[in-house]
C-alpha cells in the first residue's frame, strides 16, 4: 500500500464488495477512505505516455465507480439530502453516466421534489439515457414510462404544493 494508486484500488474493491453484500455502512466508510486519497488527475503530466494514459483513464473510471457506489451506500443509509449537491455536480460533469442519473431521479422522487423530478428526467434524457432505464419505483407507478414520469412528476409537485400551503 506504499503507492496511493494500489491502496485506492484495494479500498475501492473492498468498498464495492461491501456495497454488493448489502453492508452500506462498511461500503460508505471504505469508499470515503478511498476517495480521500484522490488528489487530482492520476499520473498528471504522464497522460501522453503509454502507461500513464491508460492507467490514468483506468483510475478515473474506478474513481467514478467508487463515487457511484458511495452515493448508493449513502442513500441506503438515509443520507439522500446530503448527497444532492455532489450528485447534481457529478451529473453535470458526467452527463453520460446512467447510474448517476438514476440516483439523481431516485433522490428527486423519494424527496418528492416535483420540479426536480422533471428536471432530473430531462437531464437524463438529454444526456442520452434511455427513458426505459430510469428508476422504477415501488409506488405503483413505473417512472420508466412517459406516463409514469408524468404521474410521478405531478404527484410529487402536488404534494410539495400542499406542504407549502400548510406552512
Amino acid at each position: 500500500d506504499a503507492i496511493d494508486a494500489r491502496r485506492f484500488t484495494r479500498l475501492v474493491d473492498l468498498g464495492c464488495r461491501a456495497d454488493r453484500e448489502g453492508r452500506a455502512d462498511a461500503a460508505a466508510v471504505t469508499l470515503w477512505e478511498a476517495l480521500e486519497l484522490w488528489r487530482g488527475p492520476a499520473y498528471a503530466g504522464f497522460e501522453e505516455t503509454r502507461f500513464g494514459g491508460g492507467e490514468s483513464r483506468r483510475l478515473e473510471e474506478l474513481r467514478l465507480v467508487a463515487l457511484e457506489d458511495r452515493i448508493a451506500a449513502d442513500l441506503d443509509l438515509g443520507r439522500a439530502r446530503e448527497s444532492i449537491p455532489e450528485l447534481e455536480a457529478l451529473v453535470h460533469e458526467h452527463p453520460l453516466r446512467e447510474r448517476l442519473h438514476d440516483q439523481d431521479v431516485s433522490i428527486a422522487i423519494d424527496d418528492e421534489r416535483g420540479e426536480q423530478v422533471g428536471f432530473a428526467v430531462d437531464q437524463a434524457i438529454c444526456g442520452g439515457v434511455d427513458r426505459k432505464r430510469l428508476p422504477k419505483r415501488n409506488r405503483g407507478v413505473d417512472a420508466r414510462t412517459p406516463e409514469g414520469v408524468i404521474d410521478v412528476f405531478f404527484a410529487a409537485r402536488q404534494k410539495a404544493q400542499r406542504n407549502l400551503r400548510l406552512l
Side-chain angles (χ1 to χ4, degrees):
D1 281 354
I3 299 174
D4 282 349
R6 286 186 189 148
R7 184 164 184 234
F8 174 76
T9 301
R10 185 180 62 77
L11 288 168
V12 170
D13 182 50
L14 291 171
C16 290
R17 187 174 328 136
D19 186 52
R20 284 191 307 272
E21 293 170 354
R23 297 181 297 122
D25 53 344
V29 168
T30 306
L31 291 168
W32 270 110
E33 186 180 343
L35 291 164
E36 284 178 355
L37 294 172
W38 202 263
R39 294 182 187 89
Y43 299 102
F46 294 95
E47 297 91 355
E48 301 303 317
T49 67
R50 194 168 29 186
F51 170 78
E55 187 64 2
S56 176
R57 285 187 298 278
R58 182 187 76 80
L59 289 170
E60 175 60 20
E61 176 62 24
L62 191 59
R63 181 185 76 87
L64 290 171
V65 168
L67 282 165
E68 290 169 344
D69 279 0
R70 204 231 48 245
I71 290 169
D74 285 346
L75 298 180
D76 289 345
L77 294 168
R79 297 192 287 237
R81 286 186 184 252
E82 295 88 345
S83 301
I84 292 170
E86 178 184 27
L87 184 55
E88 287 178 349
L90 287 167
V91 165
H92 180 72
E93 191 177 326
H94 303 282
L96 300 179
R97 296 204 59 101
E98 290 187 12
R99 189 169 181 206
L100 292 173
H101 286 289
D102 178 52
Q103 291 169 329
D104 191 31
V105 172
S106 292
I107 288 174
I109 291 170
D110 289 344
D111 203 30
E112 297 172 340
R113 295 177 295 140
E115 291 178 18
Q116 188 61 29
V117 173
F119 181 70
V121 170
D122 286 345
Q123 270 193 310
I125 293 168
C126 289
V129 176
D130 182 354
R131 185 186 299 263
K132 293 178 189 132
R133 297 192 55 152
L134 291 174
K136 182 175 181 179
R137 309 309 298 167
N138 294 326
R139 295 187 181 159
V141 175
D142 186 346
R144 297 178 298 173
T145 67
E147 299 79 17
V149 169
I150 291 167
D151 289 346
V152 169
F153 172 76
F154 283 111
R157 191 171 80 179
Q158 286 173 344
K159 184 165 184 174
Q161 287 171 339
R162 280 194 307 271
N163 289 342
L164 284 174
R165 276 188 241 129
L166 294 174
L167 296 176

